[in-house]
Amino acid sequence: MIRKVLLLSTITLALPGCFYAHTSQAPIAKTYPITEQHKMQAAHHWQVLADYEAKGILNQLKGQSVYVNGGDKNSPFDQTFHQLLISELVNDGGSVMVSSNAAAEVSYDVNLIEHKDRGMIRPPEGALSVLAAGIAVATVPYNRWTEPALALIPMAVAGDLLIGNVVSESTHEVAITTRVTQQGMLLHSSTNIYYINPGDKDHYVEPEQPRATARTIRVTDR
C-alpha cells in the first residue's frame, strides 16, 4: 500500500514538468503567490483604517497642522470616515485645524471595484488536508466506539478552532486612498484595498438622486 502511494505521489509531482515541456499558442495563465487581504464588514473596521492613516500622517508630517477635508461623495463611509479620521488625529496628539488656512490638507477618495467574471479562488493551503483528516478521524467511532454520535466530536472541535478564521472572498472590493497636500505639493499618500460584501457597496458610493419627472398635458381645440 505504501509503495502504491509513493508511486502515485511521484507521478503527480512529475506531471507539472511534463506539462510545461509542451508548447502553447498563447501564454499560460499563472497564479500569484498567496497573499492576504482584509475584508471590511463593520464600521469598526473603518475606525481601524482611520487609526492607521492618522498614525501614518502624523509620523510623516512631524507636528505640522492639518485640516481634514471631507470626501467627494455623500456616502455613509465618507461621512463616518471623516469624523473617525479627525478623532484619531486628535487622540494621537495631532494639531487639527477647523479651516484650511496655513495647514496641510488631508483628503481621501474611494474607488469601488466590481468583478464581473472572476475565476475560481483556491482555498487556503492545508484546507483539503484538514478536511480529509477530520473525515478520517470521524470514522473511528463507527469502527471502535459504541456510540456513533461520538463521530461528531472531532469535527466539532476542528470547527471551534477554525471558524473564527473563516472568511469568504468577494467580487466587490474598495480602494481607499488618503492624501496630504499643501500648496500643490503631495506630502503623503496611502492606498489600501479591501474586500467588501456585495450588499454593502452602497456604503461607499453616493446615493442616487431621485430623477425629476415632467408631466405633459396635451390640450386640443374643440
Side-chain angles (χ1 to χ4, degrees), residues 142-188:
Y142 288 103
N143 299 327
R144 300 181 182 178
W145 298 354
T146 58
E147 178 54 55
L150 294 175
L152 299 176
I153 294 178
M155 300 299 288
V157 172
D160 288 337
L161 292 175
L162 299 176
I163 194 169
N165 297 320
V166 174
V167 62
S168 61
E169 292 78 16
S170 171
T171 57
H172 289 62
E173 298 175 276
V174 288
I176 303 171
T177 300
T178 305
R179 300 185 182 91
V180 181
T181 58
Q182 187 174 33
Q183 298 179 350
M185 180 180 294
L186 182 63
L187 303 179
H188 174 79

Side-chain angles (χ1 to χ4, degrees), residues 34-35 119-129 131 166-169:
I34 292 179
T35 56
M120 184 196 75
I121 299 178
R122 61 164 293 176
E125 289 184 346
L128 298 180
S129 300
L131 177 61
V166 174
V167 62
S168 61
E169 292 78 16

Side-chain angles (χ1 to χ4, degrees), residues 57 61 63-69 95-107 179-185 187:
I57 291 170
L61 299 188
Q64 189 173 353
S65 298
V66 297
Y67 165 74
V68 182
N69 193 2
S95 176
V96 181
M97 309 297 289
V98 296
S99 66
S100 58
N101 296 335
E105 183 173 311
V106 181
S107 61
R179 300 185 182 91
V180 181
T181 58
Q182 187 174 33
Q183 298 179 350
M185 180 180 294
L187 303 179

Side-chain angles (χ1 to χ4, degrees), residues 16-204:
C18 297
F19 176 76
Y20 281 103
H22 291 80
T23 59
S24 175
Q25 289 76 26
I28 298 173
K30 181 180 179 181
T31 59
Y32 287 89
I34 292 179
T35 56
E36 295 180 344
Q37 181 170 297
H38 286 101
K39 187 174 185 179
M40 281 187 164
Q41 301 188 92
H44 172 69
H45 297 158
W46 300 350
Q47 184 178 21
V48 173
L49 175 61
D51 177 63
Y52 171 80
E53 294 295 354
K55 286 180 169 54
I57 291 170
L58 296 178
N59 182 64
Q60 183 71 26
L61 299 188
K62 305 299 183 183
Q64 189 173 353
S65 298
V66 297
Y67 165 74
V68 182
N69 193 2
D72 59 356
K73 299 182 181 68
N74 186 26
S75 66
F77 174 81
D78 275 38
Q79 296 175 357
T80 307
F81 189 69
H82 179 251
Q83 299 167 359
L84 289 172
L85 190 54
I86 291 176
S87 297
E88 295 300 332
L89 285 168
V90 172
N91 292 337
D92 288 340
S95 176
V96 181
M97 309 297 289
V98 296
S99 66
S100 58
N101 296 335
E105 183 173 311
V106 181
S107 61
Y108 53 90
D109 54 45
V110 181
N111 293 323
L112 175 66
I113 303 102
E114 299 184 41
H115 299 283
K116 302 297 184 182
D117 189 15
R118 168 172 280 182
M120 184 196 75
I121 299 178
R122 61 164 293 176
E125 289 184 346
L128 298 180
S129 300
V130 171
L131 177 61
I135 294 174
V137 172
T139 62
V140 174
Y142 288 103
N143 299 327
R144 300 181 182 178
W145 298 354
T146 58
E147 178 54 55
L150 294 175
L152 299 176
I153 294 178
M155 300 299 288
V157 172
D160 288 337
L161 292 175
L162 299 176
I163 194 169
N165 297 320
V166 174
V167 62
S168 61
E169 292 78 16
S170 171
T171 57
H172 289 62
E173 298 175 276
V174 288
I176 303 171
T177 300
T178 305
R179 300 185 182 91
V180 181
T181 58
Q182 187 174 33
Q183 298 179 350
M185 180 180 294
L186 182 63
L187 303 179
H188 174 79
S189 180
S190 173
T191 301
N192 297 276
I193 303 175
Y194 300 91
Y195 284 121
I196 62 169
N197 294 314
D200 291 341
K201 68 177 183 179
D202 292 342
H203 294 338
Y204 303 91

